[in-house]
């Protein structure tokens, strides 16, 4: 099973600041098989990025993804108030599909 | 409207089984896969398995040791998850989520169904 480890656990930032979230995989993941989700309390996760760097439909361009091999990054260029949430990475390269433990982006 | 609508909350005793339903609408049901993902309180999502809504093929996570069954009804455009031999640590919100048949990221999610296992 591919284990995904996200860092940091919590990111305390102000609106307008840049957020950089990391996800490290225990084995190499092909770039077409990596995604990021946003989750707010009481809601289902929402797809942000698939295939490492492709924004899902309706996702603003302040969200971007990058990476390869075992190291992947989600960047939010300028935080908007609605971006404060928990973010999960996911690999779908090998079964079982797995998720990271999440990074909470909170207001400083 | 493209959506997945799930059945309501359930309370079950240890050892029982639970069935959670997911009704798809607004898209061609048989062109996509439906996955089941659960999330215990404060935990990361956990993938359980998926069904190809077109041909009915399934694949399950080994982490559930044969306790999971996923079925679909193409005429009703529904997919059902059955989890058996329930334990207290199966208490979680269970989500159905739509995926491509070849790329298993999830672009559409149901709102979730809370399953509570308690004696």
């Amino acid at each position: 099973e591919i284990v995904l480890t996200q860092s940091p656990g919590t990111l305390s930032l102000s609106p307008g600041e840049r957020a950089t979230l990391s996800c490290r995989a225990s084995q190499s993941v092909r770039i077409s098989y990596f995604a990021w989700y946003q989750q707010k309390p009481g809601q289902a996760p929402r797809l942000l990025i698939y295939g490492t760097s492709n924004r899902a439909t309706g996702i603003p361009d302040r969200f971007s993804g990058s990476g390869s091999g075992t190291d992947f990054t989600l960047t939010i260029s300028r935080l908007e108030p609605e971006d404060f949430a928990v973010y999960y990475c996911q690999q779908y390269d090998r079964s079982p599909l797995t998720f990271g433990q999440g990074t909470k982006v909170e207001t400083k | 409207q493209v959506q997945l609508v799930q059945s309501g909350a359930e309370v079950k005793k240890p050892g029982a089984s639970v069935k959670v339903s997911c009704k798809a609408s607004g898209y061609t049901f048989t062109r996509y896969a439906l996955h089941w993902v659960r999330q215990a309180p404060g935990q990361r999502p956990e993938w359980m398995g998926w069904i190809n809504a077109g041909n009915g093929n399934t694949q399950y996570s080994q982490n559930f040791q044969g306790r999971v069954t996923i079925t679909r009804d193409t005429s009703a455009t529904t997919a059902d998850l059955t989890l058996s031999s329930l334990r207290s640590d199966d208490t979680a919100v269970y989500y159905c989520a739509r995926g491509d048949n070849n790329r298993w990221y999830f672009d559409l999610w149901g709102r979730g169904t809370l399953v509570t296992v308690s004696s």
Side-chain angles (χ1 to χ4, degrees), chain B residues 2 5-7 11 17 22 27-28 30 41-42 46 51 57 59 61 63-64 66 71-72 82 85 90 92 104 106 110:
Chain B
V2 179
V5 178
Q6 297 186 221
S7 52
V11 179
S17 295
C22 173
Y27 69 93
T28 302
T30 52
E46 181 180 20
I51 188 164
N57 288 345
Q59 183 177 0
S61 169
N63 295 337
F64 291 89
T71 58
R72 89 336 182 180
T82 300
S85 303
D90 290 318
W104 297 351
F106 311 130

Side-chain angles (χ1 to χ4, degrees), chain A residues 32-33 37 47 50-51 90 92 97, chain B residues 4 27-35 47 49-54 57 59 97-109:
Chain A
S32 295
Y33 297 84
Y37 298 83
L47 178 68
Y50 65 93
Q90 180 220 348
Y92 45 100
L97 283 66
Chain B
L4 299 173
Y27 69 93
T28 302
F29 180 72
T30 52
R31 287 190 184 171
Y32 292 86
L34 278 170
H35 296 250
W47 177 74
W50 74 289
I51 188 164
N52 180 318
N57 288 345
Q59 183 177 0
R98 187 181 76 170
D100 180 89
N101 280 312
N102 298 306
R103 296 283 191 270
W104 297 351
Y105 57 85
F106 311 130
D107 65 348
L108 179 67
W109 294 68

